[in-house]
Amino acid sequence: MEYASLGSTGLKVSRIGLGAWQFSEAWGVTDYSVAREIVRASLDSGVNLIDTAMVYGRGLSEEFVGRAIRDLGVKRDDVVIATKIPGDFLAYDDVFRATDNSLRRLGVDYIDLMQVHWPPCWHNHPTCEYMRALERLIVLGKVGYIGLSDFPVELVDAARACLARYDVEVIQVRYNIVERQAEKELIPYAEENGMSVLAWSPLAKGAVLGKYSLEEAEKLQDVRGGDPLFKPQNYKQILELSEKLKQIASKYGKTPAQIALNWLLGYSDTVIPIPGAKSPEQARENAGAAGWRLSYEDWRALDEASKKLKITYVTW
Ligand SMILES: NC(=O)c1ccc[n+]([C@@H]2O[C@H](COP(=O)([O-])OP(=O)(O)OC[C@H]3O[C@@H](n4cnc5c(N)ncnc54)[C@H](OP(=O)(O)O)[C@@H]3O)[C@@H](O)[C@H]2O)c1
């Protein structure tokens, strides 16, 4: 495993994290013992960053993460817990209430990284109101650092301007080898400002791995049911890219997932993919994506292949 500083904090985090949305009905890991083994496999492979959220299973994911850490006897300082407060809970007092609930579900005294999950869009919560509440939680010792998820750069700027003593250390954004919009604004912004980019859906929810046929992809019933990437007009193209990933994987003695994640690591040293895993095997495999690099030529070949894709989100 290789490690990086979380933003400018100096806190050491693994270049591959573990996404814990899988611990919910959405993805189907609702058996605690499976979740615990996934966490164990990740930690044993050097992963020390776990990304969860209040909305994942309405608290189930946070409960499983906290319980697994306790049951596995992990020292609190040896794991970096990142969670997220939904865009609906951003009234000043609600930020405290929601954080209290999160602390209780996780069973910890403090949360290393509290991210705003998405900007408030259904309520007019002023940006400075919730940012100052988060800053107060740092002062009070309940939150270590602040992150923003699914925020455009203009709003990141606005949010940072509200803070008096601390800064935003993390931007979390969708980023994978077929969905590269983050390269336009957010990654350059993070590079300029010393922030980390937590890349969510770094495997495009498994689409890039080519493990589902066109017919199977269309029939997936979980969170991927309505996902545009799995619709034939997109998925057909992605299957072609996955063939390239498979070829390169066999050359390196790696798996397609490891190649897809390593490609992201190569793009920018700010990027920290947080793949979700449904089994300990997947977790171990994903952790094995760090600690080595694709050659420049292979990185470029994948870059070219991915740039040929014409992904559309207009599927109906
Ligand atoms: N901030 C946000 O708005 C936001 C949004 C989405 C996700 N996230 C975070 O990002 C994390 C990851 O994103 P994601 O769950 O959307 O998708 P992902 O990490 O791109 O894909 C995860 C899925 O790919 C498959 N997979 C994973 N590793 C594999 C391997 N080594 N070999 C074969 N298949 C493998 C598994 O599904 P199957 O085995 O069923 O194919 C797994 O559930 C989440 O857990 C969450 O923490 C954040």
Side-chain angles (χ1 to χ4, degrees):
M1 181 53 67
E2 50 185 284
Y3 298 87
S5 163
L6 186 78
S8 308
T9 67
L11 184 67
K12 194 183 87 164
V13 288
S14 48
R15 273 310 287 285
I16 300 284
L18 172 69
W21 183 18
Q22 275 58 26
F23 306 163
S24 67
E25 295 291 341
W27 281 99
V29 181
T30 50
D31 174 344
Y32 166 68
S33 61
V34 177
R36 183 192 60 221
E37 293 313 305
I38 291 170
V39 172
R40 187 201 303 270
S42 296
L43 296 171
D44 286 352
S45 312
V47 168
N48 75 342
L49 169 67
I50 304 182
D51 179 76
T52 179
M54 298 179 194
V55 294
Y56 297 165
R58 283 199 167 219
L60 187 77
S61 172
E62 288 187 325
E63 275 171 28
F64 278 9
V65 168
R67 190 172 155 197
I69 286 164
R70 279 191 305 283
D71 288 355
L72 296 171
V74 181
K75 281 204 265 141
R76 181 65 189 85
D77 288 357
D78 287 346
V79 66
V80 176
I81 300 176
T83 191
K84 312 186 198 79
I85 181 167
D88 307 323
F89 292 175
L90 296 177
Y92 189 85
D93 289 335
D94 276 358
V95 172
F96 290 86
R97 248 177 237 127
T99 303
D100 290 346
N101 287 347
S102 201
L103 287 163
R104 179 179 40 75
R105 281 190 294 264
L106 284 160
V108 295
D109 288 339
Y110 66 93
I111 289 158
D112 300 273
L113 176 69
M114 180 62 89
Q115 303 157 103
V116 181
H117 204 152
W118 61 84
C121 43
W122 311 119
H123 306 276
N124 179 208
H125 298 305
T127 307
C128 284
E129 199 172 295
Y130 59 85
M131 291 308 287
R132 289 196 187 123
L134 289 172
E135 187 162 55
R136 211 41 48 198
L137 281 163
I138 299 184
V139 174
L140 290 163
K142 291 294 154 188
V143 163
Y145 305 104
I146 302 171
L148 299 174
S149 160
D150 306 325
F151 273 56
V153 286
E154 291 82 359
L155 204 43
V156 176
D157 269 334
R160 292 176 73 199
C162 300
L163 299 174
R165 297 183 51 185
Y166 301 99
D167 200 353
V168 170
E169 300 293 349
V170 164
I171 287 171
Q172 183 167 149
V173 60
R174 183 197 300 254
Y175 184 49
N176 57 63
I177 193 167
V178 298
E179 297 175 293
R180 299 174 55 181
Q181 293 86 350
E183 292 173 6
K184 294 181 187 167
E185 293 186 318
L186 282 166
I187 295 175
Y189 184 97
E191 287 178 333
E192 245 177 82
N193 291 282
M195 296 172 176
S196 293
V197 175
L198 299 196
W200 65 257
S201 289
L203 297 169
K205 297 193 172 72
V208 298
L209 305 177
K211 62 182 198 175
Y212 299 110
S213 68
L214 205 55
E215 296 70 37
E216 287 165 341
E218 268 212 285
K219 289 194 197 118
L220 285 167
Q221 293 292 321
D222 54 21
V223 278
R224 298 172 281 202
D227 193 311
L229 291 189
F230 292 86
K231 302 281 182 210
Q233 58 268 57
N234 291 322
Y235 195 66
K236 256 189 218 157
Q237 304 176 58
I238 296 173
L239 278 179
E240 281 176 32
L241 178 72
S242 71
E243 284 309 312
K244 188 110 203 138
L245 282 171
K246 284 180 194 167
Q247 273 169 22
I248 294 185
S250 65
K251 186 165 130 188
Y252 284 76
K254 304 282 183 193
T255 66
Q258 291 172 332
I259 301 293
L261 295 171
N262 191 274
W263 188 90
L264 301 177
L265 296 183
Y267 184 79
S268 167
D269 60 6
T270 63
V271 172
I272 300 177
I274 47 167
K278 286 170 65 176
S279 65
E281 292 72 27
Q282 287 185 354
R284 263 189 292 275
E285 193 179 311
N286 296 341
W292 55 279
R293 283 293 177 276
L294 284 164
S295 72
Y296 174 72
E297 291 72 24
D298 290 327
W299 191 94
R300 285 279 296 129
L302 288 169
D303 184 44
E304 288 296 320
S306 109
K307 279 185 176 148
K308 288 200 186 106
L309 305 184
K310 297 271 175 277
I311 301 295
T312 178
Y313 295 92
V314 186
T315 55
W316 54 270

